[in-house]
Amino acid sequence: MSIVILSDIHSNLESFQAVLKDFSRERVDQVLCLGDVVGYAADPDHCIETLRGLTSHVVAGNHDWAVAGLADTSCFNPEARAAVEWTAGIITADHSAYLKGLPLTLCLPGMLLVHATPCQPESWDYIFSPDDAAMSFHHFDQQVCLTGHSHYPIAFAQDKEGTISVMWDSTFTLLESHRYLINVGSVGQPRDGDPRAAYGIYKPEDASFRLKRVPYDIKRAQEKIIAAGLPSFLAARLAAGR
Ligand code: ZN
């Protein structure tokens, strides 16, 4: 069984298509998406349509909720808010209803899916450090919790004594004695200094996780952002991976 994990596509069709092409070479049994399908880039409808054709295992991100009118944008920065307003103004009613219907969490065998944190998903807090992760480990029972939101790929492992370590390698084996909190980074707007699209492949039978990075046509995505009249900062940051 091979599970592809996507997060934070953010309407970036170029990066999404590059990731699709990359995992089409693998035997994939299931695709999961950890939210923020929209916001920031210029192809929300096309990205939603593509995702819906791939999987029904999708949780809501804060941008999805904001575009659907379910989350307040007062804590969004001006560029993010502009992208939410632009997206809400152009997506189809059907896609808006789709975003509105996304759940905050999904439980699958051995896994919890959530965009931000399992503690209070709708608070959209971030998990950056082992201390942040410690709080989250109290709020799920499964062996694995999959998250996105920070656009920063990182994984934490907790042993039976509660000690948390950071898994720095992009490929690692999951030990039966440990539980894991895995952030797969962002397909559409990576912020860890590597501009390539990020996604994860989890193989429960081999107990293996692998973070993959995929180059894509950043220039084309940037041109579309500018042509749509979205803030130029949203185009510039793609090349920096910040
Ligand atoms: Zn996001």
Side-chain angles (χ1 to χ4, degrees), residues 8 10 36 40 63 115 149 151:
D8 296 272
H10 281 297
D36 277 3
Y40 294 137
H63 287 254
H115 181 65
H149 192 42
H151 300 204

